[in-house]
Amino acid sequence: MTRPPRILIVDDERMIVDYLEEYLQRLGYETATAANGREALEKVAVDSPDLILLDIVMPVIDGLKVCRILKGDEVTRLIPIVIMTSLDGIEDRIKGIEAGADDYLPKPINPRELTARIETALRLKRNVDLKIICINNFTYGM
């Protein structure tokens, strides 16, 4: 039996984190949390999640920098990142995509949209993971 997908929630607003944790756990996901960018990077280094929900405006290291760091690292670049933020201008969306985010979710968060974006990101990740396994098996004759 495989474990349910694990989602790292990165946000400095405790009420949002609590809401997302409860909502995602009810959907059957495992969750982990980080209150700032540095904590998020530390958690990813220890136990890589299947998906990251990442706020932009945070203390210590902002979400855009976290996204750039993770997407610039060979080990973490394939982890889907959904930026969620109250910054709603087109420029903010463009900055998020340029930083490497796979998707963008405006706050306040709509639960149906959140669910759809998570399911899509995880489906794409599963497909990429399967292709990597197939390539490795072919390359190494397993």
PDB file of all heavy atoms in Angstrom, residues 78 125-142:
ATOM      1  N   LEU A  78      11.365  19.129  -9.696  1.00  0.00           N
ATOM      2  CA  LEU A  78      10.134  18.509 -10.191  1.00  0.00           C
ATOM      3  C   LEU A  78       8.988  18.492  -9.171  1.00  0.00           C
ATOM      4  O   LEU A  78       7.901  18.010  -9.473  1.00  0.00           O
ATOM      5  CB  LEU A  78      10.416  17.090 -10.674  1.00  0.00           C
ATOM      6  CG  LEU A  78      11.335  16.986 -11.896  1.00  0.00           C
ATOM      7  CD1 LEU A  78      11.584  15.534 -12.268  1.00  0.00           C
ATOM      8  CD2 LEU A  78      10.759  17.762 -13.080  1.00  0.00           C
ATOM      9  N   LYS A 125       2.539  15.196 -11.758  1.00  0.00           N
ATOM     10  CA  LYS A 125       3.740  14.705 -11.075  1.00  0.00           C
ATOM     11  C   LYS A 125       3.831  13.181 -11.158  1.00  0.00           C
ATOM     12  O   LYS A 125       4.900  12.628 -11.408  1.00  0.00           O
ATOM     13  CB  LYS A 125       3.766  15.143  -9.610  1.00  0.00           C
ATOM     14  CG  LYS A 125       5.048  14.680  -8.893  1.00  0.00           C
ATOM     15  CD  LYS A 125       5.122  15.183  -7.495  1.00  0.00           C
ATOM     16  CE  LYS A 125       6.426  14.888  -6.808  1.00  0.00           C
ATOM     17  NZ  LYS A 125       6.944  13.560  -6.936  1.00  0.00           N
ATOM     18  N   ARG A 126       2.705  12.496 -10.957  1.00  0.00           N
ATOM     19  CA  ARG A 126       2.700  11.028 -11.068  1.00  0.00           C
ATOM     20  C   ARG A 126       3.147  10.591 -12.462  1.00  0.00           C
ATOM     21  O   ARG A 126       3.921   9.649 -12.608  1.00  0.00           O
ATOM     22  CB  ARG A 126       1.316  10.461 -10.760  1.00  0.00           C
ATOM     23  CG  ARG A 126       1.045  10.273  -9.289  1.00  0.00           C
ATOM     24  CD  ARG A 126      -0.215   9.465  -9.026  1.00  0.00           C
ATOM     25  NE  ARG A 126      -1.426  10.056  -9.596  1.00  0.00           N
ATOM     26  CZ  ARG A 126      -2.164  10.987  -8.994  1.00  0.00           C
ATOM     27  NH1 ARG A 126      -1.836  11.439  -7.804  1.00  0.00           N
ATOM     28  NH2 ARG A 126      -3.242  11.466  -9.576  1.00  0.00           N
ATOM     29  N   ASN A 127       2.660  11.278 -13.491  1.00  0.00           N
ATOM     30  CA  ASN A 127       3.041  10.935 -14.859  1.00  0.00           C
ATOM     31  C   ASN A 127       4.536  11.145 -15.095  1.00  0.00           C
ATOM     32  O   ASN A 127       5.192  10.316 -15.717  1.00  0.00           O
ATOM     33  CB  ASN A 127       2.221  11.739 -15.866  1.00  0.00           C
ATOM     34  CG  ASN A 127       0.782  11.288 -15.918  1.00  0.00           C
ATOM     35  OD1 ASN A 127       0.454  10.162 -15.551  1.00  0.00           O
ATOM     36  ND2 ASN A 127      -0.103  12.166 -16.368  1.00  0.00           N
ATOM     37  N   VAL A 128       5.066  12.243 -14.597  1.00  0.00           N
ATOM     38  CA  VAL A 128       6.508  12.506 -14.725  1.00  0.00           C
ATOM     39  C   VAL A 128       7.296  11.448 -13.969  1.00  0.00           C
ATOM     40  O   VAL A 128       8.273  10.899 -14.480  1.00  0.00           O
ATOM     41  CB  VAL A 128       6.854  13.932 -14.219  1.00  0.00           C
ATOM     42  CG1 VAL A 128       8.354  14.108 -14.070  1.00  0.00           C
ATOM     43  CG2 VAL A 128       6.284  14.972 -15.156  1.00  0.00           C
ATOM     44  N   ASP A 129       6.872  11.141 -12.741  1.00  0.00           N
ATOM     45  CA  ASP A 129       7.565  10.122 -11.939  1.00  0.00           C
ATOM     46  C   ASP A 129       7.565   8.770 -12.648  1.00  0.00           C
ATOM     47  O   ASP A 129       8.583   8.069 -12.649  1.00  0.00           O
ATOM     48  CB  ASP A 129       6.930   9.995 -10.556  1.00  0.00           C
ATOM     49  CG  ASP A 129       7.183  11.207  -9.665  1.00  0.00           C
ATOM     50  OD1 ASP A 129       8.029  12.046 -10.017  1.00  0.00           O
ATOM     51  OD2 ASP A 129       6.508  11.303  -8.618  1.00  0.00           O
ATOM     52  N   LEU A 130       6.438   8.396 -13.256  1.00  0.00           N
ATOM     53  CA  LEU A 130       6.367   7.119 -13.976  1.00  0.00           C
ATOM     54  C   LEU A 130       7.306   7.096 -15.176  1.00  0.00           C
ATOM     55  O   LEU A 130       7.960   6.091 -15.446  1.00  0.00           O
ATOM     56  CB  LEU A 130       4.931   6.836 -14.429  1.00  0.00           C
ATOM     57  CG  LEU A 130       3.965   6.414 -13.337  1.00  0.00           C
ATOM     58  CD1 LEU A 130       2.543   6.324 -13.890  1.00  0.00           C
ATOM     59  CD2 LEU A 130       4.377   5.084 -12.735  1.00  0.00           C
ATOM     60  N   LYS A 131       7.391   8.213 -15.897  1.00  0.00           N
ATOM     61  CA  LYS A 131       8.304   8.287 -17.040  1.00  0.00           C
ATOM     62  C   LYS A 131       9.755   8.161 -16.580  1.00  0.00           C
ATOM     63  O   LYS A 131      10.559   7.496 -17.222  1.00  0.00           O
ATOM     64  CB  LYS A 131       8.094   9.586 -17.813  1.00  0.00           C
ATOM     65  CG  LYS A 131       6.828   9.575 -18.620  1.00  0.00           C
ATOM     66  CD  LYS A 131       6.644  10.855 -19.387  1.00  0.00           C
ATOM     67  CE  LYS A 131       5.322  10.790 -20.138  1.00  0.00           C
ATOM     68  NZ  LYS A 131       5.048  11.986 -20.902  1.00  0.00           N
ATOM     69  N   ILE A 132      10.084   8.794 -15.466  1.00  0.00           N
ATOM     70  CA  ILE A 132      11.447   8.714 -14.942  1.00  0.00           C
ATOM     71  C   ILE A 132      11.766   7.275 -14.556  1.00  0.00           C
ATOM     72  O   ILE A 132      12.848   6.764 -14.852  1.00  0.00           O
ATOM     73  CB  ILE A 132      11.640   9.679 -13.746  1.00  0.00           C
ATOM     74  CG1 ILE A 132      11.625  11.119 -14.245  1.00  0.00           C
ATOM     75  CG2 ILE A 132      12.931   9.376 -12.995  1.00  0.00           C
ATOM     76  CD1 ILE A 132      11.565  12.157 -13.153  1.00  0.00           C
ATOM     77  N   ILE A 133      10.832   6.592 -13.909  1.00  0.00           N
ATOM     78  CA  ILE A 133      11.039   5.193 -13.527  1.00  0.00           C
ATOM     79  C   ILE A 133      11.245   4.339 -14.774  1.00  0.00           C
ATOM     80  O   ILE A 133      12.156   3.506 -14.824  1.00  0.00           O
ATOM     81  CB  ILE A 133       9.852   4.674 -12.685  1.00  0.00           C
ATOM     82  CG1 ILE A 133       9.875   5.327 -11.305  1.00  0.00           C
ATOM     83  CG2 ILE A 133       9.891   3.149 -12.560  1.00  0.00           C
ATOM     84  CD1 ILE A 133       8.603   5.111 -10.498  1.00  0.00           C
ATOM     85  N   CYS A 134      10.428   4.545 -15.799  1.00  0.00           N
ATOM     86  CA  CYS A 134      10.563   3.769 -17.039  1.00  0.00           C
ATOM     87  C   CYS A 134      11.912   4.025 -17.705  1.00  0.00           C
ATOM     88  O   CYS A 134      12.574   3.093 -18.159  1.00  0.00           O
ATOM     89  CB  CYS A 134       9.438   4.114 -18.011  1.00  0.00           C
ATOM     90  SG  CYS A 134       7.840   3.477 -17.498  1.00  0.00           S
ATOM     91  N   ILE A 135      12.322   5.280 -17.749  1.00  0.00           N
ATOM     92  CA  ILE A 135      13.615   5.621 -18.358  1.00  0.00           C
ATOM     93  C   ILE A 135      14.757   4.979 -17.562  1.00  0.00           C
ATOM     94  O   ILE A 135      15.676   4.394 -18.133  1.00  0.00           O
ATOM     95  CB  ILE A 135      13.799   7.151 -18.446  1.00  0.00           C
ATOM     96  CG1 ILE A 135      12.846   7.705 -19.504  1.00  0.00           C
ATOM     97  CG2 ILE A 135      15.243   7.525 -18.749  1.00  0.00           C
ATOM     98  CD1 ILE A 135      12.722   9.215 -19.502  1.00  0.00           C
ATOM     99  N   ASN A 136      14.690   5.073 -16.238  1.00  0.00           N
ATOM    100  CA  ASN A 136      15.734   4.464 -15.396  1.00  0.00           C
ATOM    101  C   ASN A 136      15.776   2.963 -15.574  1.00  0.00           C
ATOM    102  O   ASN A 136      16.852   2.361 -15.642  1.00  0.00           O
ATOM    103  CB  ASN A 136      15.532   4.841 -13.941  1.00  0.00           C
ATOM    104  CG  ASN A 136      15.916   6.277 -13.648  1.00  0.00           C
ATOM    105  OD1 ASN A 136      16.635   6.895 -14.407  1.00  0.00           O
ATOM    106  ND2 ASN A 136      15.388   6.814 -12.569  1.00  0.00           N
ATOM    107  N   ASN A 137      14.610   2.323 -15.625  1.00  0.00           N
ATOM    108  CA  ASN A 137      14.582   0.871 -15.817  1.00  0.00           C
ATOM    109  C   ASN A 137      15.169   0.486 -17.164  1.00  0.00           C
ATOM    110  O   ASN A 137      15.900  -0.504 -17.274  1.00  0.00           O
ATOM    111  CB  ASN A 137      13.147   0.339 -15.699  1.00  0.00           C
ATOM    112  CG  ASN A 137      12.664   0.320 -14.270  1.00  0.00           C
ATOM    113  OD1 ASN A 137      13.461   0.396 -13.332  1.00  0.00           O
ATOM    114  ND2 ASN A 137      11.366   0.223 -14.091  1.00  0.00           N
ATOM    115  N   PHE A 138      14.880   1.244 -18.193  1.00  0.00           N
ATOM    116  CA  PHE A 138      15.424   0.963 -19.508  1.00  0.00           C
ATOM    117  C   PHE A 138      16.931   1.218 -19.554  1.00  0.00           C
ATOM    118  O   PHE A 138      17.705   0.400 -20.040  1.00  0.00           O
ATOM    119  CB  PHE A 138      14.722   1.836 -20.572  1.00  0.00           C
ATOM    120  CG  PHE A 138      15.271   1.628 -21.944  1.00  0.00           C
ATOM    121  CD1 PHE A 138      14.923   0.497 -22.684  1.00  0.00           C
ATOM    122  CD2 PHE A 138      16.144   2.543 -22.509  1.00  0.00           C
ATOM    123  CE1 PHE A 138      15.440   0.296 -23.948  1.00  0.00           C
ATOM    124  CE2 PHE A 138      16.664   2.347 -23.771  1.00  0.00           C
ATOM    125  CZ  PHE A 138      16.305   1.220 -24.501  1.00  0.00           C
ATOM    126  N   THR A 139      17.341   2.344 -18.989  1.00  0.00           N
ATOM    127  CA  THR A 139      18.761   2.735 -19.011  1.00  0.00           C
ATOM    128  C   THR A 139      19.627   1.761 -18.226  1.00  0.00           C
ATOM    129  O   THR A 139      20.714   1.400 -18.657  1.00  0.00           O
ATOM    130  CB  THR A 139      18.935   4.160 -18.432  1.00  0.00           C
ATOM    131  OG1 THR A 139      18.131   5.055 -19.192  1.00  0.00           O
ATOM    132  CG2 THR A 139      20.376   4.593 -18.474  1.00  0.00           C
ATOM    133  N   TYR A 140      19.147   1.328 -17.079  1.00  0.00           N
ATOM    134  CA  TYR A 140      19.953   0.485 -16.207  1.00  0.00           C
ATOM    135  C   TYR A 140      19.588  -1.001 -16.313  1.00  0.00           C
ATOM    136  O   TYR A 140      20.063  -1.818 -15.557  1.00  0.00           O
ATOM    137  CB  TYR A 140      19.838   0.945 -14.747  1.00  0.00           C
ATOM    138  CG  TYR A 140      20.365   2.344 -14.570  1.00  0.00           C
ATOM    139  CD1 TYR A 140      19.508   3.413 -14.340  1.00  0.00           C
ATOM    140  CD2 TYR A 140      21.723   2.623 -14.688  1.00  0.00           C
ATOM    141  CE1 TYR A 140      19.974   4.704 -14.199  1.00  0.00           C
ATOM    142  CE2 TYR A 140      22.207   3.914 -14.546  1.00  0.00           C
ATOM    143  CZ  TYR A 140      21.333   4.944 -14.307  1.00  0.00           C
ATOM    144  OH  TYR A 140      21.800   6.213 -14.187  1.00  0.00           O
ATOM    145  N   GLY A 141      18.710  -1.337 -17.267  1.00  0.00           N
ATOM    146  CA  GLY A 141      18.365  -2.730 -17.536  1.00  0.00           C
ATOM    147  C   GLY A 141      17.689  -3.434 -16.397  1.00  0.00           C
ATOM    148  O   GLY A 141      17.880  -4.618 -16.180  1.00  0.00           O
ATOM    149  N   MET A 142      16.867  -2.730 -15.642  1.00  0.00           N
ATOM    150  CA  MET A 142      16.186  -3.342 -14.503  1.00  0.00           C
ATOM    151  C   MET A 142      14.890  -3.966 -14.931  1.00  0.00           C
ATOM    152  O   MET A 142      14.213  -3.694 -15.770  1.00  0.00           O
ATOM    153  CB  MET A 142      15.931  -2.304 -13.422  1.00  0.00           C
ATOM    154  CG  MET A 142      17.209  -1.762 -12.877  1.00  0.00           C
ATOM    155  SD  MET A 142      16.835  -0.554 -11.594  1.00  0.00           S
ATOM    156  CE  MET A 142      18.396  -0.490 -10.803  1.00  0.00           C
TER     157      MET A 142
END
